[in-house]
Amino acid sequence: MFTIEHDFDATVVTLVDEGEAPLQEDVTITAFAECITIEQLDPRTDRVQKITLSLAQLQDLAAALDLPEGVYRLVPSQK
């Protein structure tokens, strides 16, 4: 399950783990104009862990999900 909220300066997507136990904590992805942040509570430390990706890193991640093992570089398409 997931939720989507549109704030003034960002879009916030929250992923809720509904699989079988043990379940993971919710993941919150916040999309700003210049970057993406991913946050998840670490129950061992009771602290929120945060990762910030540039938009280029996000594009690379999206492409990587559909590619086999290897080393790649995305090249912008020519229009």
Side-chain angles (χ1 to χ4, degrees):
M1 178 180 111
F2 61 93
T3 65
I4 302 171
E5 300 172 52
H6 298 292
D7 292 340
F8 172 73
D9 63 343
T11 297
V12 180
V13 176
T14 302
L15 307 176
V16 179
D17 191 4
E18 292 187 303
E20 296 192 22
L23 298 177
Q24 299 296 316
E25 296 291 332
D26 293 356
V27 174
T28 303
I29 303 162
T30 307
F32 297 97
E34 67 283 350
C35 68
I36 304 292
T37 62
I38 303 168
E39 297 177 312
Q40 185 178 40
L41 176 68
D42 182 346
R44 295 170 295 158
T45 62
D46 201 33
R47 294 178 61 185
V48 173
Q49 302 296 319
K50 183 178 193 176
I51 297 171
T52 302
L53 301 174
S54 70
L55 297 180
Q57 288 174 310
L58 180 64
Q59 287 178 324
D60 287 350
L61 174 59
L65 294 175
D66 293 326
L67 293 169
E69 185 175 344
V71 177
Y72 301 89
R73 176 176 288 130
L74 295 180
V75 178
S77 62
Q78 308 235 349
K79 292 186 179 185

